[in-house]
């Protein structure tokens, strides 16, 4: 019998069994003395776990055909706590040992594959884990999570030491209790709402980028249950899921080809998540700039602030015809505002200090989730939660893929990426660059450059540098050269073409006697300490010694300083701490 069952046997709400441990500052599950505790094994000790540093098999490794459970990694259980863990249910099969996979995981019976948006399930669950209070209870929640194997498209496990990208998918499939009246009656479940969540390596910032369902893209070939599903060109993004039997792995591959960003995992949440989670926290506050009476979504609210939950909350995030130009792009903005409000409520004191609310949230969220097998344990999702907890609310940015109307259409119904803005947004996420000012990080980078390059700076006109493209967008070397020569005064610079290999980071290699020139160029371009590479000089086209600037994948564009964390000025964005009224 599990922890909840033991409590219920004595008519005790399991939420009342959570006690604040003054030594750790976290809530712990304390069972009554009458409970049969002696037969239940306690938490696994660190010494019984895998070797330190093990975090799962890297993507693509074929030596172990399955995913290693991140829950078996060191540090998953809190050592020293005298708290019994949950028993395995009678008759339930044992899990395979770490590092091995048995048969291909079979989908659990879906408890909700019809998903409108990510707002309820996955993000709420992430936030549920932030308090650390529900750690042991999450063990009980393992049976709630539905998993789907998408092969090597997703990572084998979750690393707490790296940046990570999770694709949140919401479908328009309407199956499920209470949802018969929503969505497209005949839909097989397309990717109706999509958000790529990027969390930085240093956990100082995160970016949630919405991808419009009506964005025209090329969907690549992908694996399905009955073999390879051929790709299609110039189609709506939402057809990357459901169409021809495509699974979430197809949507992940479509995002990767569209953006160049490696997607590590996916998660889906259903209609019911919005209703149950908003109810569990006692409602979410929203603001309307005008009265709304939408017969399609059944939302009827007056202008001003309201606390909504349940069916009203679902109607709010589904409403399209009452905001902006009555299109999907404006609905995305409203959903982002709702998401910010939900995040603020989840992290408020009255939520995080309430074991009852945390348990309700965890139950509702895990039941609404469908995730890849790499993060298919509640304990792994808890790890994701704790990593996201580290990001300040003011540095969580919501944005949308920059788009323009599809020029191939007379009647505008779809959009295409804006070539003048979208590549820079993709590159910032790919290079782990914040869309908000992370002042502490910028100060640290500037200090590192100053410490490495002490001394005077040459005049810009005396700086000799050749520029190589080592992974930046095509034409970047020439664009940076134009900026240096026409605006920065670095007239002794030249385009040396492409580098021999691609590299993630931009670097400046210089000889010891070129330190003064390196200092000046670092100041002009905002190069960080890690980008400075003492080495050898080369000979330029005039036969003179020169430094080498190699533009890596993190290059942000001509004239944009590398140590700047400011987003492009022409990209719409908002942060999770902002309160806005839907208009």
């Amino acid at each position: 019998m599990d922890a909840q069952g033991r409590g219920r046997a004595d008519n005790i709400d399991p939420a009342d069994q959570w006690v604040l441990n003054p030594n750790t500052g976290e809530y712990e599950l304390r069972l009554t003395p009458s409970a049969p505790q002696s037969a239940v094994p306690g938490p696994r000790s660190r010494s019984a776990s895998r070797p330190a540093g093990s975090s799962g098999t890297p993507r693509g490794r074929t030596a172990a055909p399955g995913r290693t459970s991140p829950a078996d990694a060191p540090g998953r259980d809190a050592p020293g706590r005298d708290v019994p863990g949950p028993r395995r249910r009678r008759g339930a099969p044992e899990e395979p040992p770490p590092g091995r996979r048995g048969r291909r995981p079979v989908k659990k019976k879906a408890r909700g594959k019809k998903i409108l948006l990510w707002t309820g399930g996955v993000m709420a669950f992430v936030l549920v884990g932030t308090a650390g209070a529900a750690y042991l209870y999450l063990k009980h929640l393992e049976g709630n999570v539905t998993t789907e194997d998408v092969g090597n498209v997703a990572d084998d496990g979750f690393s707490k030491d790296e940046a990570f990208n999770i694709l949140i998918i919401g479908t328009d499939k309407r199956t499920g209790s209470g949802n018969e009246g929503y969505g497209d009656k005949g839909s097989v479940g397309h990717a109706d709402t999509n958000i790529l969540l990027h969390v930085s390596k240093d956990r100082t910032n995160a970016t949630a980028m919405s991808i419009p369902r009506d964005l025209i893209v090329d969907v690549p070939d992908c694996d399905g249950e009955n073999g390879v599903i051929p790709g299609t060109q110039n189609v709506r993004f939402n057809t990357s899921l459901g169409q021809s039997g495509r699974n979430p792995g197809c949507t992940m591959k479509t995002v990767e080809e569209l953006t160049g960003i490696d997607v590590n995992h996916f998660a889906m949440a259903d209609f019911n998540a919005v209703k149950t989670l908003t109810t569990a926290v006692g409602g979410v506050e929203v603001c309307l700039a005008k009265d709304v009476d939408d017969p399609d979504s059944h939302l009827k609210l007056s202008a001003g602030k309201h606390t909504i939950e349940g069916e009203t909350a679902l109607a709010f995030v589904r409403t399209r015809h009452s905001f902006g130009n009555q299109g999907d792009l404006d609905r995305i903005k409203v959903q982002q505002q709702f998401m910010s409000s939900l995040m603020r409520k989840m992290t408020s004191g009255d939520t995080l200090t309430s074991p009852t609310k945390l348990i309700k949230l965890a139950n509702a969220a895990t039941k609404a989730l469908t995730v890849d097998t790499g993060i298919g344990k509640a304990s792994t999702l808890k790890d994701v939660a704790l990593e996201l907890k580290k990001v300040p609310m003011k540095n969580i940015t919501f944005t949308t893929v920059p788009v323009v109307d599809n020029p191939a259409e007379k009647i505008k119904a779809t959009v295409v990426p804006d070539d003048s803005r979208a590549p820079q947004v993709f590159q910032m996420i790919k290079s782990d660059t914040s869309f908000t000012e992370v002042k502490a990080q910028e100060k640290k980078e500037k200090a590192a450059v100053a410490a490495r390059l002490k001394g005077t700076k040459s005049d810009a006109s005396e700086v000799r540098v050749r520029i190589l493209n080592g992974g930046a967008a095509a034409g970047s070397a020439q664009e940076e050269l134009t900026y240096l020569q026409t605006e920065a005064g670095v007239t002794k610079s030249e385009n040396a073409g492409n580098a021999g290999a691609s590299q993630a980071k931009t670097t400046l290699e210089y000889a010891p006697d070129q330190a003064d020139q390196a200092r000046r160029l670092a100041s002009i371009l905002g190069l960080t300490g890690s980008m400075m590479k003492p080495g050898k000089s080369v000979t330029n086209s005039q036969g003179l010694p020169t430094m080498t600037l190699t533009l890596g994948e993190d290059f942000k564009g001509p004239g944009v300083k590398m140590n700047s964390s400011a987003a492009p000025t022409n990209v719409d964005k908002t942060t999770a701490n902002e309160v806005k009224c839907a208009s």
Side-chain angles (χ1 to χ4, degrees):
M1 184 180 295
D2 58 22
Q4 185 178 15
R6 289 194 293 270
R8 288 301 183 193
D10 296 319
N11 295 319
I12 299 175
D13 189 327
D16 296 330
Q17 297 174 293
W18 289 88
V19 180
L20 181 66
N21 185 331
N23 297 322
T24 64
E26 296 184 351
Y27 285 92
E28 298 177 358
L29 183 63
R30 300 295 174 86
L31 303 180
T32 59
S34 61
Q37 300 180 28
S38 59
V40 184
R44 177 184 299 181
S45 68
R46 181 176 294 273
S47 61
S49 300
R50 293 184 301 169
S54 176
S55 59
T57 307
R59 175 186 297 188
R61 180 175 294 177
T62 58
R67 289 177 172 79
T68 302
S69 169
D72 293 330
R76 304 303 188 194
D77 297 314
R81 296 183 185 173
D82 188 19
V83 182
R87 289 184 181 181
R88 178 170 58 87
R89 293 179 182 175
R90 180 177 299 172
E94 295 186 1
E95 297 181 2
R100 297 179 57 190
R101 174 192 281 173
R103 295 181 301 170
R104 179 183 180 91
V106 179
K107 296 181 186 178
K108 298 178 183 178
K109 186 176 181 181
R111 290 188 176 142
K113 296 181 181 176
K114 56 288 149 196
I115 296 132
L116 172 67
L117 60 132
W118 71 306
T119 305
V122 66
M123 198 62 177
F125 183 78
V126 164
L127 292 165
V128 166
T130 60
Y135 170 63
L136 292 178
Y137 194 74
L138 293 183
K139 295 291 187 179
H140 161 73
L141 302 175
E142 295 289 356
N144 287 353
V145 183
T146 301
T147 61
E148 183 164 355
D149 191 342
V150 294
N152 286 333
V153 180
D155 287 358
D156 289 334
F158 174 72
S159 172
K160 294 189 287 185
D161 300 319
E162 300 294 335
F164 60 90
N165 301 306
I166 299 179
L167 180 63
I168 317 300
I169 306 172
T171 80
D172 54 4
K173 197 171 183 179
R174 70 176 195 164
T175 55
S177 177
N179 299 318
E180 296 83 359
Y182 300 131
D184 182 355
K185 181 177 180 179
S187 176
V188 294
H190 293 120
D192 193 57
T193 299
N194 312 273
I195 296 180
L196 180 63
L197 175 64
H198 169 81
V199 180
S200 70
K201 181 176 181 178
D202 61 10
R203 308 302 189 244
T204 61
N205 64 91
T207 302
M209 180 180 70
S210 296
I211 304 172
R213 66 179 186 182
D214 296 326
L215 181 68
I216 297 299
V217 297
D218 292 339
V219 178
D221 296 346
C222 57
D223 294 330
E225 293 184 1
N226 299 316
V228 176
I229 301 173
T232 51
Q233 288 71 47
N234 295 317
V235 294
R236 281 179 166 87
F237 180 88
N238 65 348
T239 61
S240 63
L241 179 69
Q243 197 84 358
S244 303
R246 290 173 176 145
N247 63 24
C250 298
T251 309
M252 293 173 67
K253 291 184 68 175
T254 302
V255 172
E256 291 181 338
E257 293 210 359
L258 169 69
T259 65
I261 300 168
D262 181 32
V263 182
N264 307 111
H265 303 285
F266 83 86
M268 300 194 298
D270 64 17
F271 287 150
N272 292 328
V274 181
K275 295 185 285 188
T276 58
L277 290 169
T278 53
T279 300
V281 297
V284 174
E285 185 177 273
V286 298
C287 180
L288 296 172
K290 61 181 180 181
D291 295 345
V292 171
D293 187 357
D294 188 341
D296 293 325
S297 68
H298 308 295
L299 179 68
K300 186 174 183 179
L301 291 173
S302 60
K305 294 182 179 180
H306 299 270
T307 298
I308 60 175
E309 60 182 78
E311 292 288 348
T312 304
L314 182 58
F316 182 85
V317 297
R318 292 187 65 248
T319 295
R320 179 178 62 180
H321 300 296
S322 298
F323 303 121
N325 296 322
Q326 302 186 11
D328 190 54
L329 294 178
D330 290 299
R331 179 168 63 173
I332 286 175
K333 294 179 181 179
V334 173
Q335 290 174 350
Q336 291 174 349
Q337 293 166 15
F338 179 87
M339 189 65 247
S340 296
S341 182
L342 179 59
M343 291 175 67
R344 291 192 296 271
K345 185 60 178 286
M346 292 291 187
T347 55
S348 64
D350 64 331
T351 299
L352 294 182
T353 58
S354 170
T356 301
K357 286 185 178 180
L358 288 172
I359 288 175
K360 289 181 180 179
L361 287 168
N363 265 310
T366 49
K367 287 179 180 179
L369 284 176
T370 299
V371 299
D372 62 89
T373 54
I375 54 173
K377 285 182 172 290
S379 55
T380 309
L381 290 171
K382 180 267 303 180
D383 289 338
V384 176
L386 294 178
E387 292 306 304
L388 185 57
K389 173 193 175 185
K390 299 175 183 177
V391 182
M393 197 72 68
K394 66 179 181 179
N395 290 338
I396 300 177
T397 302
F398 288 90
T399 189
T400 304
V401 174
V403 297
V404 294
D405 288 336
N406 186 356
E409 294 178 332
K410 292 183 178 179
I411 299 177
K412 304 303 180 183
T414 61
V415 292
V416 296
D418 184 347
D419 291 337
S420 67
R421 297 181 296 154
Q424 187 174 359
V425 172
F426 299 156
Q427 187 58 44
M428 289 183 69
I429 296 176
K430 185 178 180 181
S431 62
D432 199 23
T433 302
S434 175
F435 280 72
T436 59
E437 292 186 6
V438 185
K439 295 182 179 179
Q441 182 67 16
E442 290 187 10
K443 184 177 180 180
K444 179 180 177 181
E445 291 287 4
K446 291 178 180 179
V449 175
R452 178 168 292 186
L453 297 175
K454 294 180 179 179
T456 60
K457 299 176 183 177
S458 298
D459 188 87
S461 63
E462 297 302 318
V463 174
R464 295 190 299 273
V465 60
R466 66 170 189 158
I467 306 171
L468 294 173
N469 190 332
S476 293
Q478 183 58 45
E479 292 174 352
E480 186 74 335
L481 174 67
T482 300
Y483 164 75
L484 288 175
Q485 291 186 340
T486 61
E487 298 186 43
V490 185
T491 55
K492 296 179 181 178
S493 52
E494 62 183 33
N495 182 355
N498 293 325
S502 180
Q503 60 188 52
K505 298 291 185 181
T506 294
T507 59
L508 175 64
E509 184 173 2
Y510 58 96
D513 60 352
Q514 296 172 318
D516 290 350
Q517 295 183 42
R519 276 188 284 273
R520 174 57 65 188
L521 194 60
S523 176
I524 293 172
L525 300 181
L527 301 180
T528 66
S530 61
M531 297 175 181
M532 309 306 292
K533 184 180 178 183
K536 300 179 180 179
S537 65
V538 295
T539 302
N540 64 12
S541 59
Q542 284 76 44
L544 299 173
T546 185
M547 301 182 295
T548 300
L549 175 67
T550 304
L551 306 179
E553 296 175 356
D554 61 344
F555 179 66
K556 303 176 182 180
V560 181
K561 290 196 173 187
M562 298 300 298
N563 61 0
S564 171
S565 60
T569 56
N570 57 351
V571 172
D572 292 333
K573 67 184 182 73
T574 185
T575 53
N577 66 319
E578 295 182 57
V579 179
K580 293 187 175 182
C581 293
S583 58

